[in-house]
Amino acid sequence: MTSLNGHSTLERRFMTELAQGLDDVRTRTFPFPRRHCISVLDLNRPQAEQLLDLADVFVGLNRQKAKKLDLLKGRTLMNLFFENSTRTQSSFELAGKRLGADVVNMSPRASSMSKGETLIDTAVTLNAMKPDLLVVRHPSSGAAALLAQKVDGSVINAGDGQHEHPTQALLDALSMRRAFGSVEGLTVAICGDVLHSRVARSNVILLQMLGARVRLVGPPTLMPAGADRWAADIHHDMREGIDGVDVVMMLRLQLERMTGALVPSTREYFRFFGLDREKLARAAPGVRVMHPGPMNRGVEIDSDIADDLAVSLIQDQVEMGVAVRMAVLSALAARLDNA
Ligand code: NCD
């Protein structure tokens, strides 16, 4: 059906929703508290919640036909990924494009980094091209913070070694908040290869900040030394560890970061620490299962659970990833605008 002004009813509905969404974005956008987003500790609880409220608006916008805004118009976003990534890199790319930024993806294998240029040289070179937002993933803990000292724009940490992955923790919190109404009061078991996981580190901090109780579950060889100071309960028996929990967050066994044999075999690992129906039955009724991806099916999680939409939040996590990154990018840009 076409109306007098040439727009179909559906198009007019989209336009009204978009205008409403934009108003929500405008009232909810706030300048990011720091110039860079390196750790979840760059935010306090009210700021983290404000960011999740903003991300919620972007979820609505992303579900509409017209998804493109101009909040980052004129800005340049560079993705600098020194480790492989599917979801994180493409969701930062989409987030930047949906907000109207110019997006450049640098792949270090094809760049001078593979000819021995240091991270600092690369940072100085890229800085001369005036990126406003620099998203970086690097195998060394601390790489994002180092880069932040050398560039004029904002650096967003998309995973530095075993240290942090703040936007992942934010998207996980948003997925839980939407599934349960609130993160406050939830009990979350983070299970598996905690030792190598920047996702676990960022989540432990953010979830506790938002009022959840956190348990860490895994073999002693995959627990970081000092995990006892994380104010989380530690379990080496998976059945005990997930007993009564609201959320089971599985982690990938990061074989590429293991120098020695930390697990006897992947089959043996699945028997003790893989998530299957029998173990999941110990969790609270209504339990939801999460995984940051990429998944090793049959190693840390049974396919049957990963694909069960009544239980799994894994697809929601991917969707929330774009919205959360839009929220972080627009808040950082608001800070740059005010600078
Ligand atoms: C994680 C990462 O790279 O830290 N994945 C992700 O960001 N979606 C977890 C992992 O690699 O296992």
Side-chain angles (χ1 to χ4, degrees):
M1 203 208 323
T2 304
S3 70
L4 290 177
N5 60 11
H7 294 292
S8 70
T9 319
L10 205 60
E11 275 172 343
R12 268 189 290 123
R13 214 192 70 210
F14 279 134
M15 283 153 70
T16 319
E17 281 175 11
L18 187 65
Q20 174 62 42
L22 278 174
D23 277 349
D24 280 352
V25 169
R26 279 195 201 98
T27 50
R28 289 181 187 280
T29 306
F30 67 103
F32 202 77
R34 294 170 191 245
R35 184 152 65 91
H36 308 287
C37 174
I38 306 292
S39 156
V40 285
L41 289 170
D42 292 329
L43 300 162
N44 59 26
R45 182 173 179 168
Q47 290 160 346
E49 281 171 353
Q50 220 180 335
L51 203 72
L52 298 181
D53 291 343
L54 176 59
D56 247 332
V57 180
F58 286 124
V59 175
L61 286 173
N62 285 336
R63 288 181 178 179
Q64 292 178 197
K65 182 173 140 196
K67 302 174 177 63
K68 206 151 163 144
L69 307 181
D70 61 3
L71 290 173
L72 294 187
K73 194 163 169 214
R75 298 281 186 194
T76 302
L77 181 150
M78 274 189 188
N79 263 331
L80 187 58
F81 279 63
F82 295 95
E83 281 184 1
N84 293 340
S85 166
T86 314
R87 296 144 258 269
T88 309
Q89 179 168 350
S90 51
S91 78
F92 269 110
E93 181 175 353
L94 269 181
K97 286 183 172 165
R98 287 193 182 159
L99 295 173
D102 292 319
V103 180
V104 180
N105 290 310
M106 300 287 299
S107 59
R109 260 181 312 282
S111 79
S112 292
M113 282 299 286
S114 59
K115 299 181 184 166
E117 193 175 68
T118 65
L119 178 64
I120 300 296
D121 286 337
T122 306
V124 171
T125 304
L126 295 180
N127 192 48
M129 300 182 202
K130 311 275 183 252
D132 302 289
L133 300 147
L134 203 55
V135 180
V136 64
R137 168 170 288 190
H138 196 279
S140 307
S141 304
L146 186 66
L147 202 72
Q149 292 168 17
K150 304 287 171 191
V151 298
D152 300 314
S154 294
V155 171
I156 301 109
N157 182 6
D160 61 330
Q162 295 163 216
H163 175 228
E164 276 222 45
H165 191 353
T167 57
Q168 177 71 42
L170 287 163
L171 75 87
D172 290 336
L174 184 62
S175 307
M176 287 183 224
R177 201 173 83 159
R178 290 172 66 98
F180 291 93
S182 171
V183 173
E184 169 99 52
L186 294 178
T187 304
V188 181
I190 302 179
C191 306
D193 187 356
V194 180
L195 175 64
H196 298 105
S197 180
R198 49 202 178 203
V199 174
R201 243 166 224 83
S202 291
N203 260 299
V204 169
I205 303 169
L206 185 66
L207 286 170
Q208 289 182 343
M209 187 196 290
L210 296 176
R213 292 188 48 180
V214 181
R215 295 185 196 167
L216 299 173
V217 184
T221 47
L222 294 179
M223 280 295 159
D228 48 334
R229 291 193 302 268
W230 289 10
D233 303 325
I234 297 178
H235 293 265
H236 300 306
D237 179 303
M238 178 119 174
R239 288 176 183 82
E240 275 172 26
I242 64 177
D243 196 70
V245 301
D246 303 295
V247 177
V248 179
M249 183 184 290
M250 297 307 300
L251 300 172
R252 183 174 65 90
L253 200 55
Q254 301 198 20
L255 294 166
E256 80 278 15
R257 292 190 212 276
M258 296 184 193
T259 38
L262 295 177
V263 287
S265 74
T266 50
R267 253 189 66 198
E268 189 82 345
Y269 182 80
F270 185 76
R271 195 153 80 82
F272 289 102
F273 293 100
L275 187 65
D276 55 19
R277 293 277 175 193
E278 187 261 317
K279 294 190 194 85
L280 189 63
R282 298 286 293 261
V287 65
R288 306 307 294 267
V289 172
M290 303 176 73
H291 193 303
M295 274 185 281
N296 294 309
R297 289 168 183 265
V299 176
E300 69 259 353
I301 188 166
D302 204 337
S303 266
D304 169 48
I305 295 176
D307 298 334
D308 178 355
L309 295 180
V311 174
S312 168
L313 289 180
I314 297 170
Q315 290 309 317
D316 299 62
Q317 288 173 273
V318 178
E319 182 184 359
M320 297 312 127
V322 180
V324 154
R325 287 164 183 136
M326 287 169 82
V328 170
L329 294 175
S330 56
L332 285 167
R335 167 146 188 149
L336 290 176
D337 288 344
N338 293 352

